[in-house]
Amino acid sequence: MARKLKFIHVGTGGFGSNWCKNVLPYAVNELQAAELVAAVDINPEAHTNVIEALNFDPKQCYTDLRQALQENPCDFVNIVVPPFAHEYAVDLALEFNCHILMEKPIAEDMESSCRVYHKVKQSGKKMAISMSHRYDQDKKSLEALIKSGDYGKLHYLIGRFTANNRHAVNNLKEYAHQNFLISSVIHHFDIIRTLSGANAKTVYTQSWNPDWAPFKEHATALIQMEMENGVRAFFEGSKTNATALNNWTRDYFRAECELATLELNHREITLRSDLDPAQKINRPVPLLEGDSWSHRLIMKEFMEWVQGGPEPANSIDDNIQSTGLQFAAIQSGLTKQIVDVQAFLAEHLHRTAVR
């Protein structure tokens, strides 16, 4: 990198504390590619996370993003705040001519996500969304195996995320019947798009709650997708099961290819094939090697992009497709109809375009 990029980190509490402890030190100290010039959180007590992680100057901690931007010119803003505050934070970052890296999702609903998309594209600034699961070592490894061509054409994908979250506090009130989809499955949609190598063409969702679920919103869903390249995908998700077969970071994805089955389960990949009866294959496949994964790799690629490098896979141009698929799936669950994902996305982008 030609020079250190100056940046402001927004959100030092909640999940932002993970960034402070595990990601920012990597960018600032290990890569020595960036300089944190200010940190922002509306809760002053949360500033402790960044102060301790980076031995950061408390005088550079703010409770107001506008003030931080006014007093600290920077190259980009890293936003790790709840989705309802995303559009506001993006507006301020663009007002001060900053590039943007932001935690998923783009925004809390489809309309706000599309408005953010238009604003960023019109500004000419670069923006990426931190879709960390597609950047996990195991998912990147499965993607590489599928796209190597060694196992023939991809036929279809199966994915699963199941957990016991019956104790969770249900606080999503504005999206009746769709808690699971809003809060979780955006990652899995993003992974399915990545593994299939295509955007979604159609989606059909069946979502519901069993009698024992404590949620107002639906926390169980079976989702069928057809991708634009003809690959089909089926996803099972539930937060109300008796046990966690495949919870966070222990995802299940199975790629049925022409010549083999590739199965990812609990961060291990197994290759299977019975095409040659005399030499059946059933063996583990080593994961890719690398010095950074997940949020660290996201941060590294984003900074390289800002410095003139290649556009990363999680740019807003790509992620708007995952967002469109997510909310199209929600629409399908509400209407019990197959939804044309590209038409759904185009309609919302048209509706929110600045005239």
Side-chain angles (χ1 to χ4, degrees), residues 61-327:
C61 293
Y62 296 77
T63 57
D64 181 74
L65 177 55
R66 178 176 290 278
Q67 182 183 0
L69 286 162
Q70 287 173 334
E71 297 179 6
N72 301 276
C74 63
D75 297 291
F76 72 94
V77 176
N78 186 44
I79 301 170
V80 190
V81 297
F84 71 84
H86 281 189
E87 187 172 5
Y88 169 77
V90 168
D91 286 347
L92 281 177
L94 295 179
E95 180 182 337
F96 286 86
N97 201 34
C98 299
H99 301 291
I100 301 165
L101 179 61
M102 186 170 71
E103 265 295 334
K104 65 88 182 171
I106 296 175
E108 62 179 339
D109 56 40
M110 193 64 202
E111 284 69 24
S112 182
S113 297
C114 289
R115 287 196 302 269
V116 167
Y117 176 82
H118 287 306
K119 292 171 184 178
V120 171
K121 298 304 293 181
Q122 290 165 4
S123 74
K125 306 309 292 185
K126 296 175 179 178
M127 181 175 179
I129 309 299
S130 295
M131 302 300 302
S132 57
H133 287 228
R134 82 170 344 178
Y135 278 83
D136 280 343
Q137 182 182 18
D138 54 341
K139 266 76 83 178
K140 295 289 284 186
S141 299
L142 180 58
E143 177 189 0
L145 289 169
I146 293 171
K147 295 181 177 178
S148 70
D150 293 343
Y151 308 103
K153 187 176 180 180
L154 176 63
H155 184 198
Y156 66 90
L157 293 164
I158 301 292
R160 180 172 66 222
F161 169 86
T162 57
N164 170 21
N165 291 148
R166 300 181 195 182
H167 62 283
V169 176
N170 182 18
N171 57 7
L172 289 173
K173 301 185 183 304
E174 61 268 47
Y175 293 108
H177 311 305
Q178 299 300 330
N179 180 43
F180 167 73
L181 288 168
I182 293 243
S183 63
S184 302
V185 82
I186 182 66
H187 275 301
H188 305 94
F189 284 151
D190 195 58
I191 293 166
I192 287 170
R193 289 184 52 249
T194 301
L195 297 180
S196 68
N199 295 324
K201 180 180 179 182
T202 61
V203 62
Y204 176 65
T205 300
Q206 290 182 302
S207 61
W208 71 96
N209 262 336
D211 294 339
W212 56 83
F215 307 105
K216 292 180 182 178
E217 295 86 2
H218 290 181
T220 301
L222 299 176
I223 306 167
Q224 184 175 339
M225 290 153 275
E226 180 181 357
M227 313 309 285
E228 290 188 314
N229 61 357
V231 171
R232 267 68 168 185
F234 183 82
F235 185 79
E236 169 199 1
S238 181
K239 289 191 170 185
T240 62
N241 289 9
T243 188
L245 291 177
N246 296 95
N247 207 337
W248 291 118
T249 75
R250 295 173 175 83
D251 307 274
Y252 180 92
F253 283 97
R254 191 175 82 244
E256 292 293 345
C257 301
E258 178 185 0
L259 303 177
T261 292
L262 297 165
E263 184 179 50
L264 167 62
N265 193 17
H266 285 234
R267 306 191 70 81
E268 295 181 351
I269 298 176
T270 303
L271 170 66
R272 296 185 174 90
S273 179
D274 296 342
L275 292 181
D276 183 353
Q279 192 176 7
K280 293 184 179 181
I281 300 173
N282 187 347
R283 61 177 174 82
V285 179
L287 302 184
L288 293 174
E289 296 182 0
D291 59 2
S292 61
W293 304 100
S294 190
H295 289 92
R296 288 187 171 197
L297 181 55
I298 286 171
M299 187 73 158
K300 180 180 179 182
E301 288 190 355
F302 176 76
M303 292 189 296
E304 291 173 347
W305 185 32
V306 171
Q307 295 275 37
E311 181 175 329
N314 61 328
S315 70
I316 195 169
D317 276 320
D318 180 88
N319 194 254
I320 194 67
Q321 285 285 342
S322 294
T323 301
L325 174 55
Q326 177 191 29
F327 286 102

